[in-house]
Amino acid sequence: MRMSRYFLPVLKETPAEAQIASHRLMLRAGMVRQAAAGIYSWMPLGYRVLKRIEDIVNQEQIRAGHIPLLMPTLQSASLWRESGRYDDYGEEMLRIKDRHGRDLLYGPTNEELITDIFRSHVNSYRDLPLTLYHVQWKFRDEIRPRYGVMRGREFLMKDGYNFDVDKASAIHSYNRHMVSYLRTYERMGLQAIPMRADTGPIGGDYSHEFLVLADTGESEVFFDNSILELNLDGREIDFDSEASCRAIVDEWTEPYSRTDETHDESLFETTVPEVRRRKSRAIEVGQIFYFGTKYSEPMGATVADSEGRRVPVHMGSHGIGVSRLVGAIIEASHDEKGIVWPEPVAPFPVGILNLSQRDSNAEAVCLSICRDLEAKGLEPLYDDREERAGAKFATMDLIGLPWRIVVGSRGLAKGAVELTRRIDGESETIAPEHAAERIAEIYAAY
Ligand code: ATP
Ligand code: MG
């Protein structure tokens, strides 16, 4: 993509309304634009990152055996009256009337809708277990939308729902979700810690939140430092195996880690040695629940069990804040010059920076590197603008592409271009004809 033909409305000034780094940087890098309080348009650069995150979420869901579908954003109030949540949900729910005076709502979550789909089509324990999910926009009329996409009113969420014949099977689904979430965040270059959580308005008694440590996070968390040493690191996982999922869950839930809602100070002090006790702020990027028959019972979602008896199905729900993750990743990965994207979620894998725009040879070399990269399925962002070198470097640093290739007449005279890593500024010189191969090598690791 040529920057001269792209739409990248970067801001020179730091927007006054933005209180935290991720919000500031997303506005400055032209990733989003506020349309109304807590409602954003995703500009091309931001949209690319959002899609990268959504792709990883989808891949990991499918890997765990979960099935994608798509439910609408608008829902009929009648299902919510069946579960009893229409009145309980409160002012966060945006209620709408259509021209016939029928009550609709903009979905804040989808337990009712999915339970209705399930009860209409599934009848037997033989069709279980089943986990359905979608990635869809939600609306919650947050009292205080803030921090940009971190606490929006309209936001993108992956929400999934498992249906199991009994509690034991539903707990396996719970464990499988925990493992697949750990993989999902790890693939994005994030450390998200599962913490025992309160169940909130969704109800039930089995829940973990996933938290990314950040000073600007809205949650307060308490944990055993040793949990930070855990990682899956590409481990083979059999998602169908109860034992293999449980082993990973045990590993992550053994160290103390809780949000302030479930924190028990005396337990913390008696079970965790003082040197390992940590208290921090953190951003919630996901949550999983098992809630048994909370919805299936009132809504009549039953299946015939192996003895032919009708039993209410056991359910859980699981959410990942896809749009919030864009902000959370920036909070975890930026410096004074701008964003530092981890490779797996970067909007473009590499930026090409032409310092000698008027030199036709430099232009030819840049275009040839672009072609080589595109042939390998890696689309670069090529800064071909008639701009000072300083301005080009500043834009690249701000938008945070993990790698940059600098092409200039002086280097080319020696047959070299410069490849630099954004995170630490480490550089190497390489021949232009090897540049694409080198980038492909780097990305093959992700
Ligand atoms: P919070 O406590 O932050 O309000 P929640 O616990 O109400 O979130 P869940 O119902 O658990 O949210 O939704 C699943 C995920 O969706 C959350 O973990 C979070 O990452 C994301 N999310 C929730 N509310 C918002 C919001 N207003 N803006 C952006 N993302 C959100
Ligand atoms: Mg939550």
Side-chain angles (χ1 to χ4, degrees):
M1 174 58 66
R2 280 178 182 271
M3 210 184 276
S4 63
R5 296 182 193 165
Y6 199 45
F7 181 58
L8 184 67
V10 300
L11 303 181
K12 296 231 162 54
E13 307 292 314
T14 297
E17 76 270 26
Q19 298 163 23
I20 64 171
S22 59
H23 189 195
R24 219 157 35 232
L25 289 169
M26 285 182 77
L27 292 172
R28 281 193 52 213
M31 292 178 64
V32 287
R33 179 173 167 79
Q34 184 174 299
I39 304 178
Y40 289 86
S41 297
W42 290 79
M43 309 296 255
L45 192 76
Y47 184 55
R48 285 182 81 102
V49 177
L50 189 67
K51 283 287 160 201
R52 300 296 302 274
I53 292 174
E54 190 181 336
D55 284 349
I56 293 175
V57 167
N58 272 306
Q59 287 161 15
E60 293 304 323
Q61 285 303 301
I62 288 164
R63 189 193 305 276
H66 307 158
I67 303 169
L69 49 49
L70 185 60
M71 291 176 272
T73 52
L74 292 184
Q75 303 181 21
S76 159
S78 61
L79 286 175
W80 287 70
R81 292 200 169 102
E82 276 188 58
S83 73
R85 280 209 295 181
Y86 190 65
D87 296 322
D88 291 353
Y89 211 94
E91 300 221 81
E92 274 191 15
M93 183 189 280
L94 182 64
R95 294 151 213 262
I96 304 160
K97 263 197 204 310
D98 71 9
R99 66 201 299 165
H100 304 294
R102 283 186 288 244
D103 290 322
L104 298 173
L105 56 99
Y106 194 132
T109 176
N110 283 56
E111 281 81 4
E112 284 77 359
L113 205 48
I114 199 83
T115 305
D116 180 54
I117 290 172
F118 180 88
R119 71 180 173 187
S120 310
H121 297 286
V122 183
N123 259 307
S124 163
Y125 75 97
R126 286 195 195 86
D127 299 322
L128 304 183
L130 178 67
T131 296
L132 301 170
Y133 81 93
H134 69 166
V135 179
Q136 178 61 293
W137 294 91
K138 302 289 181 289
F139 195 94
R140 295 183 187 172
D141 204 353
E142 301 274 357
I143 190 160
R144 219 148 79 85
R146 58 176 184 165
Y147 297 164
V149 301
M150 294 265 241
R151 183 163 299 284
R153 293 196 295 165
E154 189 186 49
F155 59 96
L156 190 61
M157 194 205 283
K158 171 259 152 184
D159 46 321
Y161 307 87
N162 68 284
F163 300 91
D164 288 88
V165 70
D166 55 22
K167 180 167 180 181
S169 168
I171 296 300
H172 171 56
S173 294
Y174 184 87
N175 290 344
R176 192 180 61 235
H177 276 87
M178 185 179 295
V179 175
S180 89
Y181 277 28
L182 289 171
R183 256 198 79 101
T184 303
Y185 299 121
E186 212 171 291
R187 269 194 63 192
M188 294 173 191
L190 269 186
Q191 181 154 41
I193 310 171
M195 306 220 175
R196 188 177 324 170
D198 201 25
T199 48
I202 293 195
D205 54 15
Y206 226 92
S207 182
H208 280 84
E209 283 176 3
F210 293 79
L211 290 121
V212 173
L213 302 181
D215 295 340
T216 49
E218 292 185 291
S219 308
E220 186 169 39
V221 299
F222 302 82
F223 61 97
D224 178 338
N225 210 21
S226 68
I227 200 164
L228 299 177
E229 285 150 32
L230 302 177
N231 63 67
L232 290 170
D233 206 13
R235 228 184 277 185
E236 270 300 316
I237 295 163
D238 178 358
F239 285 99
D240 290 328
S241 155
E242 293 190 13
S244 101
C245 291
R246 196 178 329 111
I248 294 170
V249 169
D250 287 347
E251 202 181 327
W252 261 265
T253 51
E254 207 268 308
Y256 186 100
S257 68
R258 297 196 183 187
T259 65
D260 55 355
E261 288 156 349
T262 55
H263 177 57
D264 176 339
E265 185 65 29
S266 75
L267 186 69
F268 193 41
E269 282 172 12
T270 50
T271 57
V272 186
E274 194 172 357
V275 288
R276 298 213 313 255
R277 267 180 244 150
R278 289 272 310 271
K279 176 179 158 189
S280 172
R281 309 292 303 178
I283 302 163
E284 179 192 334
V285 292
Q287 185 163 13
I288 57 176
F289 297 90
Y290 161 67
F291 46 68
T293 59
K294 178 179 157 92
Y295 297 93
S296 56
E297 228 157 331
M299 295 184 68
T302 61
V303 290
D305 71 7
S306 57
E307 272 132 47
R309 288 175 308 216
R310 303 295 306 184
V311 293
V313 76
H314 285 251
M315 293 174 60
S317 71
H318 318 277
I320 293 182
V322 174
S323 50
R324 178 178 287 182
L325 272 165
V326 180
I329 293 171
I330 297 174
E331 285 301 318
S333 186
H334 67 272
D335 61 19
E336 69 290 343
K337 289 186 277 185
I339 302 166
V340 183
W341 292 115
E343 277 84 350
V345 299
F348 293 91
V350 56
I352 298 175
L353 214 144
N354 188 347
L355 296 186
S356 312
Q357 207 57 59
R358 300 219 167 106
D359 170 354
S360 62
N361 180 38
E363 166 86 347
V365 167
C366 289
L367 290 177
S368 142
I369 297 174
C370 287
R371 272 194 307 275
D372 292 350
L373 282 162
E374 278 155 16
K376 294 176 187 298
L378 295 162
E379 191 192 355
L381 181 62
Y382 169 30
D383 191 347
D384 63 340
R385 296 170 305 160
E386 295 272 349
E387 278 280 2
R388 287 173 305 107
K392 291 191 175 190
F393 281 112
T395 303
M396 267 311 160
D397 284 342
L398 172 64
I399 67 173
L401 306 186
W403 295 86
R404 128 189 129 203
I405 297 171
V406 174
V407 178
S409 312
R410 233 181 300 155
L412 287 180
K414 289 179 253 158
V417 298
E418 189 182 48
L419 174 65
T420 306
R421 185 157 70 180
R422 172 70 177 84
I423 197 164
D424 56 9
E426 206 166 284
S427 287
E428 56 188 284
T429 51
I430 47 173
E433 59 275 22
H434 294 145
E437 208 173 285
R438 179 80 183 88
I439 298 291
E441 239 169 62
I442 292 165
Y443 276 88
Y446 296 99

mmCIF file with all atom_site columns, all heavy atoms in Angstrom, residues 107-125:
data_model
loop_
_atom_site.group_PDB
_atom_site.id
_atom_site.type_symbol
_atom_site.label_atom_id
_atom_site.label_alt_id
_atom_site.label_comp_id
_atom_site.label_asym_id
_atom_site.label_entity_id
_atom_site.label_seq_id
_atom_site.pdbx_PDB_ins_code
_atom_site.Cartn_x
_atom_site.Cartn_y
_atom_site.Cartn_z
_atom_site.occupancy
_atom_site.B_iso_or_equiv
_atom_site.pdbx_formal_charge
_atom_site.auth_seq_id
_atom_site.auth_comp_id
_atom_site.auth_asym_id
_atom_site.auth_atom_id
_atom_site.pdbx_PDB_model_num
ATOM 1   N N   . GLY A 1 107 ? -28.526 -5.697  21.508 1.00 0.00 ? 107 GLY A N   1
ATOM 2   C CA  . GLY A 1 107 ? -27.995 -6.730  22.391 1.00 0.00 ? 107 GLY A CA  1
ATOM 3   C C   . GLY A 1 107 ? -26.748 -6.325  23.160 1.00 0.00 ? 107 GLY A C   1
ATOM 4   O O   . GLY A 1 107 ? -25.747 -5.954  22.557 1.00 0.00 ? 107 GLY A O   1
ATOM 5   N N   . PRO A 1 108 ? -26.782 -6.435  24.508 1.00 0.00 ? 108 PRO A N   1
ATOM 6   C CA  . PRO A 1 108 ? -25.570 -6.260  25.303 1.00 0.00 ? 108 PRO A CA  1
ATOM 7   C C   . PRO A 1 108 ? -24.832 -7.588  25.460 1.00 0.00 ? 108 PRO A C   1
ATOM 8   O O   . PRO A 1 108 ? -23.672 -7.626  25.865 1.00 0.00 ? 108 PRO A O   1
ATOM 9   C CB  . PRO A 1 108 ? -26.098 -5.784  26.654 1.00 0.00 ? 108 PRO A CB  1
ATOM 10  C CG  . PRO A 1 108 ? -27.487 -6.352  26.759 1.00 0.00 ? 108 PRO A CG  1
ATOM 11  C CD  . PRO A 1 108 ? -27.996 -6.558  25.354 1.00 0.00 ? 108 PRO A CD  1
ATOM 12  N N   . THR A 1 109 ? -25.510 -8.700  25.147 1.00 0.00 ? 109 THR A N   1
ATOM 13  C CA  . THR A 1 109 ? -24.979 -10.056 25.254 1.00 0.00 ? 109 THR A CA  1
ATOM 14  C C   . THR A 1 109 ? -26.075 -10.954 24.665 1.00 0.00 ? 109 THR A C   1
ATOM 15  O O   . THR A 1 109 ? -27.136 -10.471 24.300 1.00 0.00 ? 109 THR A O   1
ATOM 16  C CB  . THR A 1 109 ? -24.632 -10.395 26.728 1.00 0.00 ? 109 THR A CB  1
ATOM 17  O OG1 . THR A 1 109 ? -24.201 -11.754 26.804 1.00 0.00 ? 109 THR A OG1 1
ATOM 18  C CG2 . THR A 1 109 ? -25.835 -10.240 27.647 1.00 0.00 ? 109 THR A CG2 1
ATOM 19  N N   . ASN A 1 110 ? -25.801 -12.259 24.508 1.00 0.00 ? 110 ASN A N   1
ATOM 20  C CA  . ASN A 1 110 ? -26.727 -13.063 23.702 1.00 0.00 ? 110 ASN A CA  1
ATOM 21  C C   . ASN A 1 110 ? -27.219 -14.366 24.326 1.00 0.00 ? 110 ASN A C   1
ATOM 22  O O   . ASN A 1 110 ? -27.624 -15.269 23.591 1.00 0.00 ? 110 ASN A O   1
ATOM 23  C CB  . ASN A 1 110 ? -26.060 -13.397 22.359 1.00 0.00 ? 110 ASN A CB  1
ATOM 24  C CG  . ASN A 1 110 ? -26.062 -12.215 21.399 1.00 0.00 ? 110 ASN A CG  1
ATOM 25  O OD1 . ASN A 1 110 ? -25.573 -11.149 21.745 1.00 0.00 ? 110 ASN A OD1 1
ATOM 26  N ND2 . ASN A 1 110 ? -26.625 -12.393 20.227 1.00 0.00 ? 110 ASN A ND2 1
ATOM 27  N N   . GLU A 1 111 ? -27.188 -14.498 25.620 1.00 0.00 ? 111 GLU A N   1
ATOM 28  C CA  . GLU A 1 111 ? -27.619 -15.768 26.224 1.00 0.00 ? 111 GLU A CA  1
ATOM 29  C C   . GLU A 1 111 ? -29.039 -16.163 25.793 1.00 0.00 ? 111 GLU A C   1
ATOM 30  O O   . GLU A 1 111 ? -29.298 -17.317 25.452 1.00 0.00 ? 111 GLU A O   1
ATOM 31  C CB  . GLU A 1 111 ? -27.581 -15.697 27.758 1.00 0.00 ? 111 GLU A CB  1
ATOM 32  C CG  . GLU A 1 111 ? -26.196 -15.857 28.371 1.00 0.00 ? 111 GLU A CG  1
ATOM 33  C CD  . GLU A 1 111 ? -25.383 -14.570 28.327 1.00 0.00 ? 111 GLU A CD  1
ATOM 34  O OE1 . GLU A 1 111 ? -25.907 -13.523 27.885 1.00 0.00 ? 111 GLU A OE1 1
ATOM 35  O OE2 . GLU A 1 111 ? -24.202 -14.611 28.730 1.00 0.00 ? 111 GLU A OE2 1
ATOM 36  N N   . GLU A 1 112 ? -29.962 -15.204 25.818 1.00 0.00 ? 112 GLU A N   1
ATOM 37  C CA  . GLU A 1 112 ? -31.360 -15.517 25.499 1.00 0.00 ? 112 GLU A CA  1
ATOM 38  C C   . GLU A 1 112 ? -31.513 -15.980 24.049 1.00 0.00 ? 112 GLU A C   1
ATOM 39  O O   . GLU A 1 112 ? -32.180 -16.970 23.762 1.00 0.00 ? 112 GLU A O   1
ATOM 40  C CB  . GLU A 1 112 ? -32.251 -14.284 25.740 1.00 0.00 ? 112 GLU A CB  1
ATOM 41  C CG  . GLU A 1 112 ? -32.549 -13.996 27.200 1.00 0.00 ? 112 GLU A CG  1
ATOM 42  C CD  . GLU A 1 112 ? -31.400 -13.350 27.968 1.00 0.00 ? 112 GLU A CD  1
ATOM 43  O OE1 . GLU A 1 112 ? -30.320 -13.120 27.388 1.00 0.00 ? 112 GLU A OE1 1
ATOM 44  O OE2 . GLU A 1 112 ? -31.577 -13.088 29.173 1.00 0.00 ? 112 GLU A OE2 1
ATOM 45  N N   . LEU A 1 113 ? -30.891 -15.222 23.143 1.00 0.00 ? 113 LEU A N   1
ATOM 46  C CA  . LEU A 1 113 ? -31.040 -15.530 21.717 1.00 0.00 ? 113 LEU A CA  1
ATOM 47  C C   . LEU A 1 113 ? -30.463 -16.918 21.397 1.00 0.00 ? 113 LEU A C   1
ATOM 48  O O   . LEU A 1 113 ? -31.064 -17.704 20.662 1.00 0.00 ? 113 LEU A O   1
ATOM 49  C CB  . LEU A 1 113 ? -30.311 -14.441 20.918 1.00 0.00 ? 113 LEU A CB  1
ATOM 50  C CG  . LEU A 1 113 ? -30.764 -14.183 19.495 1.00 0.00 ? 113 LEU A CG  1
ATOM 51  C CD1 . LEU A 1 113 ? -32.267 -14.048 19.387 1.00 0.00 ? 113 LEU A CD1 1
ATOM 52  C CD2 . LEU A 1 113 ? -30.091 -12.906 18.982 1.00 0.00 ? 113 LEU A CD2 1
ATOM 53  N N   . ILE A 1 114 ? -29.307 -17.217 21.960 1.00 0.00 ? 114 ILE A N   1
ATOM 54  C CA  . ILE A 1 114 ? -28.681 -18.503 21.648 1.00 0.00 ? 114 ILE A CA  1
ATOM 55  C C   . ILE A 1 114 ? -29.476 -19.642 22.299 1.00 0.00 ? 114 ILE A C   1
ATOM 56  O O   . ILE A 1 114 ? -29.603 -20.725 21.719 1.00 0.00 ? 114 ILE A O   1
ATOM 57  C CB  . ILE A 1 114 ? -27.190 -18.513 22.072 1.00 0.00 ? 114 ILE A CB  1
ATOM 58  C CG1 . ILE A 1 114 ? -26.420 -19.619 21.346 1.00 0.00 ? 114 ILE A CG1 1
ATOM 59  C CG2 . ILE A 1 114 ? -27.006 -18.685 23.564 1.00 0.00 ? 114 ILE A CG2 1
ATOM 60  C CD1 . ILE A 1 114 ? -25.961 -19.251 19.997 1.00 0.00 ? 114 ILE A CD1 1
ATOM 61  N N   . THR A 1 115 ? -30.032 -19.385 23.488 1.00 0.00 ? 115 THR A N   1
ATOM 62  C CA  . THR A 1 115 ? -30.831 -20.435 24.138 1.00 0.00 ? 115 THR A CA  1
ATOM 63  C C   . THR A 1 115 ? -32.083 -20.726 23.310 1.00 0.00 ? 115 THR A C   1
ATOM 64  O O   . THR A 1 115 ? -32.514 -21.868 23.171 1.00 0.00 ? 115 THR A O   1
ATOM 65  C CB  . THR A 1 115 ? -31.198 -20.011 25.578 1.00 0.00 ? 115 THR A CB  1
ATOM 66  O OG1 . THR A 1 115 ? -29.989 -19.697 26.270 1.00 0.00 ? 115 THR A OG1 1
ATOM 67  C CG2 . THR A 1 115 ? -31.920 -21.128 26.330 1.00 0.00 ? 115 THR A CG2 1
ATOM 68  N N   . ASP A 1 116 ? -32.638 -19.684 22.708 1.00 0.00 ? 116 ASP A N   1
ATOM 69  C CA  . ASP A 1 116 ? -33.803 -19.868 21.852 1.00 0.00 ? 116 ASP A CA  1
ATOM 70  C C   . ASP A 1 116 ? -33.439 -20.685 20.605 1.00 0.00 ? 116 ASP A C   1
ATOM 71  O O   . ASP A 1 116 ? -34.182 -21.577 20.198 1.00 0.00 ? 116 ASP A O   1
ATOM 72  C CB  . ASP A 1 116 ? -34.359 -18.498 21.442 1.00 0.00 ? 116 ASP A CB  1
ATOM 73  C CG  . ASP A 1 116 ? -35.581 -18.647 20.557 1.00 0.00 ? 116 ASP A CG  1
ATOM 74  O OD1 . ASP A 1 116 ? -36.522 -19.356 20.981 1.00 0.00 ? 116 ASP A OD1 1
ATOM 75  O OD2 . ASP A 1 116 ? -35.588 -18.087 19.442 1.00 0.00 ? 116 ASP A OD2 1
ATOM 76  N N   . ILE A 1 117 ? -32.292 -20.391 20.014 1.00 0.00 ? 117 ILE A N   1
ATOM 77  C CA  . ILE A 1 117 ? -31.856 -21.166 18.844 1.00 0.00 ? 117 ILE A CA  1
ATOM 78  C C   . ILE A 1 117 ? -31.669 -22.628 19.261 1.00 0.00 ? 117 ILE A C   1
ATOM 79  O O   . ILE A 1 117 ? -32.131 -23.551 18.594 1.00 0.00 ? 117 ILE A O   1
ATOM 80  C CB  . ILE A 1 117 ? -30.538 -20.577 18.278 1.00 0.00 ? 117 ILE A CB  1
ATOM 81  C CG1 . ILE A 1 117 ? -30.810 -19.216 17.645 1.00 0.00 ? 117 ILE A CG1 1
ATOM 82  C CG2 . ILE A 1 117 ? -29.901 -21.543 17.273 1.00 0.00 ? 117 ILE A CG2 1
ATOM 83  C CD1 . ILE A 1 117 ? -29.561 -18.446 17.231 1.00 0.00 ? 117 ILE A CD1 1
ATOM 84  N N   . PHE A 1 118 ? -31.024 -22.816 20.393 1.00 0.00 ? 118 PHE A N   1
ATOM 85  C CA  . PHE A 1 118 ? -30.743 -24.166 20.863 1.00 0.00 ? 118 PHE A CA  1
ATOM 86  C C   . PHE A 1 118 ? -32.034 -24.958 21.097 1.00 0.00 ? 118 PHE A C   1
ATOM 87  O O   . PHE A 1 118 ? -32.200 -26.071 20.599 1.00 0.00 ? 118 PHE A O   1
ATOM 88  C CB  . PHE A 1 118 ? -29.918 -24.114 22.155 1.00 0.00 ? 118 PHE A CB  1
ATOM 89  C CG  . PHE A 1 118 ? -29.586 -25.472 22.691 1.00 0.00 ? 118 PHE A CG  1
ATOM 90  C CD1 . PHE A 1 118 ? -28.456 -26.139 22.273 1.00 0.00 ? 118 PHE A CD1 1
ATOM 91  C CD2 . PHE A 1 118 ? -30.440 -26.109 23.591 1.00 0.00 ? 118 PHE A CD2 1
ATOM 92  C CE1 . PHE A 1 118 ? -28.164 -27.410 22.745 1.00 0.00 ? 118 PHE A CE1 1
ATOM 93  C CE2 . PHE A 1 118 ? -30.164 -27.375 24.061 1.00 0.00 ? 118 PHE A CE2 1
ATOM 94  C CZ  . PHE A 1 118 ? -29.027 -28.030 23.638 1.00 0.00 ? 118 PHE A CZ  1
ATOM 95  N N   . ARG A 1 119 ? -32.984 -24.377 21.834 1.00 0.00 ? 119 ARG A N   1
ATOM 96  C CA  . ARG A 1 119 ? -34.187 -25.144 22.197 1.00 0.00 ? 119 ARG A CA  1
ATOM 97  C C   . ARG A 1 119 ? -35.044 -25.465 20.974 1.00 0.00 ? 119 ARG A C   1
ATOM 98  O O   . ARG A 1 119 ? -35.801 -26.425 20.975 1.00 0.00 ? 119 ARG A O   1
ATOM 99  C CB  . ARG A 1 119 ? -35.011 -24.399 23.249 1.00 0.00 ? 119 ARG A CB  1
ATOM 100 C CG  . ARG A 1 119 ? -35.707 -23.153 22.713 1.00 0.00 ? 119 ARG A CG  1
ATOM 101 C CD  . ARG A 1 119 ? -36.500 -22.446 23.795 1.00 0.00 ? 119 ARG A CD  1
ATOM 102 N NE  . ARG A 1 119 ? -36.992 -21.174 23.263 1.00 0.00 ? 119 ARG A NE  1
ATOM 103 C CZ  . ARG A 1 119 ? -37.603 -20.255 23.966 1.00 0.00 ? 119 ARG A CZ  1
ATOM 104 N NH1 . ARG A 1 119 ? -37.825 -20.435 25.253 1.00 0.00 ? 119 ARG A NH1 1
ATOM 105 N NH2 . ARG A 1 119 ? -38.009 -19.144 23.409 1.00 0.00 ? 119 ARG A NH2 1
ATOM 106 N N   . SER A 1 120 ? -34.907 -24.663 19.916 1.00 0.00 ? 120 SER A N   1
ATOM 107 C CA  . SER A 1 120 ? -35.696 -24.918 18.717 1.00 0.00 ? 120 SER A CA  1
ATOM 108 C C   . SER A 1 120 ? -35.124 -26.042 17.866 1.00 0.00 ? 120 SER A C   1
ATOM 109 O O   . SER A 1 120 ? -35.815 -26.560 17.014 1.00 0.00 ? 120 SER A O   1
ATOM 110 C CB  . SER A 1 120 ? -35.772 -23.662 17.853 1.00 0.00 ? 120 SER A CB  1
ATOM 111 O OG  . SER A 1 120 ? -36.145 -22.571 18.632 1.00 0.00 ? 120 SER A OG  1
ATOM 112 N N   . HIS A 1 121 ? -33.848 -26.362 18.053 1.00 0.00 ? 121 HIS A N   1
ATOM 113 C CA  . HIS A 1 121 ? -33.215 -27.288 17.114 1.00 0.00 ? 121 HIS A CA  1
ATOM 114 C C   . HIS A 1 121 ? -32.512 -28.482 17.726 1.00 0.00 ? 121 HIS A C   1
ATOM 115 O O   . HIS A 1 121 ? -32.132 -29.390 17.007 1.00 0.00 ? 121 HIS A O   1
ATOM 116 C CB  . HIS A 1 121 ? -32.201 -26.530 16.242 1.00 0.00 ? 121 HIS A CB  1
ATOM 117 C CG  . HIS A 1 121 ? -32.837 -25.479 15.396 1.00 0.00 ? 121 HIS A CG  1
ATOM 118 N ND1 . HIS A 1 121 ? -33.591 -25.763 14.281 1.00 0.00 ? 121 HIS A ND1 1
ATOM 119 C CD2 . HIS A 1 121 ? -32.873 -24.137 15.536 1.00 0.00 ? 121 HIS A CD2 1
ATOM 120 C CE1 . HIS A 1 121 ? -34.056 -24.644 13.753 1.00 0.00 ? 121 HIS A CE1 1
ATOM 121 N NE2 . HIS A 1 121 ? -33.631 -23.632 14.504 1.00 0.00 ? 121 HIS A NE2 1
ATOM 122 N N   . VAL A 1 122 ? -32.276 -28.460 19.027 1.00 0.00 ? 122 VAL A N   1
ATOM 123 C CA  . VAL A 1 122 ? -31.524 -29.568 19.620 1.00 0.00 ? 122 VAL A CA  1
ATOM 124 C C   . VAL A 1 122 ? -32.404 -30.287 20.632 1.00 0.00 ? 122 VAL A C   1
ATOM 125 O O   . VAL A 1 122 ? -33.045 -29.648 21.471 1.00 0.00 ? 122 VAL A O   1
ATOM 126 C CB  . VAL A 1 122 ? -30.219 -29.076 20.304 1.00 0.00 ? 122 VAL A CB  1
ATOM 127 C CG1 . VAL A 1 122 ? -29.435 -30.261 20.853 1.00 0.00 ? 122 VAL A CG1 1
ATOM 128 C CG2 . VAL A 1 122 ? -29.365 -28.289 19.315 1.00 0.00 ? 122 VAL A CG2 1
ATOM 129 N N   . ASN A 1 123 ? -32.422 -31.606 20.524 1.00 0.00 ? 123 ASN A N   1
ATOM 130 C CA  . ASN A 1 123 ? -33.344 -32.390 21.327 1.00 0.00 ? 123 ASN A CA  1
ATOM 131 C C   . ASN A 1 123 ? -32.732 -33.491 22.161 1.00 0.00 ? 123 ASN A C   1
ATOM 132 O O   . ASN A 1 123 ? -33.327 -33.962 23.099 1.00 0.00 ? 123 ASN A O   1
ATOM 133 C CB  . ASN A 1 123 ? -34.354 -33.056 20.385 1.00 0.00 ? 123 ASN A CB  1
ATOM 134 C CG  . ASN A 1 123 ? -35.641 -32.291 20.407 1.00 0.00 ? 123 ASN A CG  1
ATOM 135 O OD1 . ASN A 1 123 ? -36.187 -32.050 21.498 1.00 0.00 ? 123 ASN A OD1 1
ATOM 136 N ND2 . ASN A 1 123 ? -36.121 -31.885 19.244 1.00 0.00 ? 123 ASN A ND2 1
ATOM 137 N N   . SER A 1 124 ? -31.520 -33.912 21.744 1.00 0.00 ? 124 SER A N   1
ATOM 138 C CA  . SER A 1 124 ? -30.975 -35.110 22.356 1.00 0.00 ? 124 SER A CA  1
ATOM 139 C C   . SER A 1 124 ? -29.571 -34.880 22.886 1.00 0.00 ? 124 SER A C   1
ATOM 140 O O   . SER A 1 124 ? -28.808 -34.080 22.326 1.00 0.00 ? 124 SER A O   1
ATOM 141 C CB  . SER A 1 124 ? -30.943 -36.226 21.302 1.00 0.00 ? 124 SER A CB  1
ATOM 142 O OG  . SER A 1 124 ? -30.076 -37.255 21.731 1.00 0.00 ? 124 SER A OG  1
ATOM 143 N N   . TYR A 1 125 ? -29.248 -35.600 23.933 1.00 0.00 ? 125 TYR A N   1
ATOM 144 C CA  . TYR A 1 125 ? -27.883 -35.543 24.476 1.00 0.00 ? 125 TYR A CA  1
ATOM 145 C C   . TYR A 1 125 ? -26.857 -35.953 23.421 1.00 0.00 ? 125 TYR A C   1
ATOM 146 O O   . TYR A 1 125 ? -25.688 -35.605 23.498 1.00 0.00 ? 125 TYR A O   1
ATOM 147 C CB  . TYR A 1 125 ? -27.769 -36.452 25.721 1.00 0.00 ? 125 TYR A CB  1
ATOM 148 C CG  . TYR A 1 125 ? -27.720 -37.930 25.405 1.00 0.00 ? 125 TYR A CG  1
ATOM 149 C CD1 . TYR A 1 125 ? -26.503 -38.611 25.330 1.00 0.00 ? 125 TYR A CD1 1
ATOM 150 C CD2 . TYR A 1 125 ? -28.886 -38.652 25.133 1.00 0.00 ? 125 TYR A CD2 1
ATOM 151 C CE1 . TYR A 1 125 ? -26.445 -39.960 25.007 1.00 0.00 ? 125 TYR A CE1 1
ATOM 152 C CE2 . TYR A 1 125 ? -28.841 -39.988 24.806 1.00 0.00 ? 125 TYR A CE2 1
ATOM 153 C CZ  . TYR A 1 125 ? -27.610 -40.643 24.749 1.00 0.00 ? 125 TYR A CZ  1
ATOM 154 O OH  . TYR A 1 125 ? -27.559 -41.966 24.412 1.00 0.00 ? 125 TYR A OH  1
#
